[in-house]
mmCIF file of all heavy atoms in Angstrom:
data_model
loop_
_atom_site.group_PDB
_atom_site.id
_atom_site.type_symbol
_atom_site.label_atom_id
_atom_site.label_comp_id
_atom_site.label_asym_id
_atom_site.label_seq_id
_atom_site.Cartn_x
_atom_site.Cartn_y
_atom_site.Cartn_z
ATOM 1 N N ASP A 47 -0.732 1.340 8.068
ATOM 2 C CA ASP A 47 -1.313 1.645 9.372
ATOM 3 C C ASP A 47 -2.524 0.787 9.676
ATOM 4 O O ASP A 47 -2.915 0.630 10.829
ATOM 5 C CB ASP A 47 -1.738 3.108 9.425
ATOM 6 C CG ASP A 47 -0.556 4.032 9.220
ATOM 7 O OD1 ASP A 47 0.501 3.763 9.804
ATOM 8 O OD2 ASP A 47 -0.684 5.006 8.461
ATOM 9 N N LEU A 48 -3.142 0.258 8.619
ATOM 10 C CA LEU A 48 -4.359 -0.518 8.807
ATOM 11 C C LEU A 48 -4.612 -1.383 7.575
ATOM 12 O O LEU A 48 -4.295 -0.977 6.463
ATOM 13 C CB LEU A 48 -5.532 0.445 9.022
ATOM 14 C CG LEU A 48 -6.882 -0.177 9.360
ATOM 15 C CD1 LEU A 48 -7.541 0.597 10.499
ATOM 16 C CD2 LEU A 48 -7.812 -0.164 8.160
ATOM 17 N N VAL A 49 -5.168 -2.576 7.809
ATOM 18 C CA VAL A 49 -5.498 -3.471 6.698
ATOM 19 C C VAL A 49 -7.013 -3.671 6.661
ATOM 20 O O VAL A 49 -7.631 -3.909 7.696
ATOM 21 C CB VAL A 49 -4.813 -4.847 6.876
ATOM 22 C CG1 VAL A 49 -5.243 -5.819 5.768
ATOM 23 C CG2 VAL A 49 -3.297 -4.708 6.891
ATOM 24 N N VAL A 50 -7.610 -3.525 5.472
ATOM 25 C CA VAL A 50 -9.001 -3.924 5.268
ATOM 26 C C VAL A 50 -8.946 -5.258 4.531
ATOM 27 O O VAL A 50 -8.464 -5.322 3.405
ATOM 28 C CB VAL A 50 -9.795 -2.883 4.449
ATOM 29 C CG1 VAL A 50 -11.219 -3.362 4.202
ATOM 30 C CG2 VAL A 50 -9.797 -1.530 5.157
ATOM 31 N N LEU A 51 -9.378 -6.319 5.204
ATOM 32 C CA LEU A 51 -9.175 -7.676 4.683
ATOM 33 C C LEU A 51 -10.494 -8.334 4.293
ATOM 34 O O LEU A 51 -11.354 -8.592 5.140
ATOM 35 C CB LEU A 51 -8.487 -8.521 5.768
ATOM 36 C CG LEU A 51 -8.243 -9.993 5.476
ATOM 37 C CD1 LEU A 51 -7.202 -10.170 4.380
ATOM 38 C CD2 LEU A 51 -7.797 -10.728 6.740
ATOM 39 N N ASP A 52 -10.638 -8.614 3.005
ATOM 40 C CA ASP A 52 -11.786 -9.395 2.530
ATOM 41 C C ASP A 52 -11.546 -10.851 2.922
ATOM 42 O O ASP A 52 -10.411 -11.323 2.854
ATOM 43 C CB ASP A 52 -11.879 -9.253 1.004
ATOM 44 C CG ASP A 52 -12.865 -10.232 0.384
ATOM 45 O OD1 ASP A 52 -13.948 -10.422 0.964
ATOM 46 O OD2 ASP A 52 -12.540 -10.810 -0.670
ATOM 47 N N LEU A 53 -12.583 -11.533 3.339
ATOM 48 C CA LEU A 53 -12.370 -12.905 3.806
ATOM 49 C C LEU A 53 -12.433 -13.939 2.690
ATOM 50 O O LEU A 53 -11.922 -15.039 2.826
ATOM 51 C CB LEU A 53 -13.401 -13.254 4.876
ATOM 52 C CG LEU A 53 -13.165 -12.584 6.218
ATOM 53 C CD1 LEU A 53 -14.167 -13.082 7.222
ATOM 54 C CD2 LEU A 53 -11.746 -12.821 6.717
ATOM 55 N N GLY A 54 -13.075 -13.599 1.586
ATOM 56 C CA GLY A 54 -13.157 -14.551 0.481
ATOM 57 C C GLY A 54 -12.072 -14.277 -0.534
ATOM 58 O O GLY A 54 -12.300 -13.636 -1.550
ATOM 59 N N LEU A 55 -10.868 -14.756 -0.262
ATOM 60 C CA LEU A 55 -9.742 -14.526 -1.172
ATOM 61 C C LEU A 55 -9.412 -15.810 -1.919
ATOM 62 O O LEU A 55 -9.698 -16.902 -1.433
ATOM 63 C CB LEU A 55 -8.524 -14.045 -0.382
ATOM 64 C CG LEU A 55 -8.669 -12.651 0.238
ATOM 65 C CD1 LEU A 55 -7.518 -12.373 1.186
ATOM 66 C CD2 LEU A 55 -8.744 -11.581 -0.838
ATOM 67 N N PRO A 56 -8.795 -15.689 -3.093
ATOM 68 C CA PRO A 56 -8.572 -16.890 -3.899
ATOM 69 C C PRO A 56 -7.512 -17.840 -3.329
ATOM 70 O O PRO A 56 -7.578 -19.045 -3.558
ATOM 71 C CB PRO A 56 -8.124 -16.335 -5.252
ATOM 72 C CG PRO A 56 -7.616 -14.967 -4.965
ATOM 73 C CD PRO A 56 -8.403 -14.465 -3.800
ATOM 74 N N ASP A 57 -6.536 -17.317 -2.600
ATOM 75 C CA ASP A 57 -5.420 -18.195 -2.218
ATOM 76 C C ASP A 57 -5.508 -18.769 -0.810
ATOM 77 O O ASP A 57 -5.083 -19.905 -0.578
ATOM 78 C CB ASP A 57 -4.072 -17.496 -2.437
ATOM 79 C CG ASP A 57 -3.958 -16.154 -1.720
ATOM 80 O OD1 ASP A 57 -5.004 -15.622 -1.297
ATOM 81 O OD2 ASP A 57 -2.836 -15.655 -1.587
ATOM 82 N N LEU A 58 -6.039 -18.014 0.139
ATOM 83 C CA LEU A 58 -6.096 -18.527 1.506
ATOM 84 C C LEU A 58 -7.480 -18.290 2.083
ATOM 85 O O LEU A 58 -8.124 -17.292 1.776
ATOM 86 C CB LEU A 58 -5.083 -17.809 2.404
ATOM 87 C CG LEU A 58 -3.588 -18.069 2.221
ATOM 88 C CD1 LEU A 58 -2.803 -17.243 3.217
ATOM 89 C CD2 LEU A 58 -3.285 -19.546 2.416
ATOM 90 N N ASP A 59 -7.910 -19.168 2.952
ATOM 91 C CA ASP A 59 -9.137 -18.993 3.687
ATOM 92 C C ASP A 59 -8.996 -17.757 4.592
ATOM 93 O O ASP A 59 -7.895 -17.458 5.075
ATOM 94 C CB ASP A 59 -9.355 -20.274 4.496
ATOM 95 C CG ASP A 59 -10.313 -20.066 5.633
ATOM 96 O OD1 ASP A 59 -11.496 -19.859 5.341
ATOM 97 O OD2 ASP A 59 -9.876 -20.081 6.788
ATOM 98 N N GLY A 60 -10.081 -17.028 4.800
ATOM 99 C CA GLY A 60 -10.027 -15.769 5.539
ATOM 100 C C GLY A 60 -9.378 -15.891 6.906
ATOM 101 O O GLY A 60 -8.528 -15.071 7.280
ATOM 102 N N ALA A 61 -9.771 -16.907 7.664
ATOM 103 C CA ALA A 61 -9.235 -17.065 9.014
ATOM 104 C C ALA A 61 -7.736 -17.346 8.965
ATOM 105 O O ALA A 61 -6.958 -16.861 9.784
ATOM 106 C CB ALA A 61 -9.958 -18.206 9.720
ATOM 107 N N GLU A 62 -7.349 -18.106 7.952
ATOM 108 C CA GLU A 62 -5.940 -18.448 7.783
ATOM 109 C C GLU A 62 -5.137 -17.198 7.396
ATOM 110 O O GLU A 62 -4.032 -16.972 7.891
ATOM 111 C CB GLU A 62 -5.835 -19.503 6.683
ATOM 112 C CG GLU A 62 -4.555 -20.288 6.704
ATOM 113 C CD GLU A 62 -4.542 -21.316 5.580
ATOM 114 O OE1 GLU A 62 -5.606 -21.570 4.977
ATOM 115 O OE2 GLU A 62 -3.465 -21.832 5.293
ATOM 116 N N ALA A 63 -5.721 -16.388 6.502
ATOM 117 C CA ALA A 63 -5.068 -15.145 6.086
ATOM 118 C C ALA A 63 -4.853 -14.244 7.296
ATOM 119 O O ALA A 63 -3.781 -13.659 7.471
ATOM 120 C CB ALA A 63 -5.924 -14.437 5.033
ATOM 121 N N LEU A 64 -5.866 -14.159 8.131
ATOM 122 C CA LEU A 64 -5.777 -13.324 9.327
ATOM 123 C C LEU A 64 -4.687 -13.834 10.262
ATOM 124 O O LEU A 64 -3.892 -13.074 10.806
ATOM 125 C CB LEU A 64 -7.136 -13.319 10.034
ATOM 126 C CG LEU A 64 -7.250 -12.468 11.288
ATOM 127 C CD1 LEU A 64 -6.979 -11.002 10.978
ATOM 128 C CD2 LEU A 64 -8.635 -12.624 11.900
ATOM 129 N N ARG A 65 -4.631 -15.149 10.438
ATOM 130 C CA ARG A 65 -3.633 -15.742 11.323
ATOM 131 C C ARG A 65 -2.218 -15.460 10.808
ATOM 132 O O ARG A 65 -1.312 -15.130 11.572
ATOM 133 C CB ARG A 65 -3.874 -17.248 11.444
ATOM 134 C CG ARG A 65 -3.245 -17.865 12.675
ATOM 135 C CD ARG A 65 -3.731 -19.278 12.940
ATOM 136 N NE ARG A 65 -3.653 -20.112 11.756
ATOM 137 C CZ ARG A 65 -4.710 -20.691 11.179
ATOM 138 N NH1 ARG A 65 -5.900 -20.536 11.680
ATOM 139 N NH2 ARG A 65 -4.553 -21.434 10.112
#
Side-chain angles (χ1 to χ4, degrees):
D47 299 317
L48 185 136
V49 176
V50 177
L51 177 68
D52 169 42
L53 287 185
L55 292 170
D57 55 345
L58 289 180
D59 161 69
E62 200 180 347
L64 182 61
R65 201 168 50 241

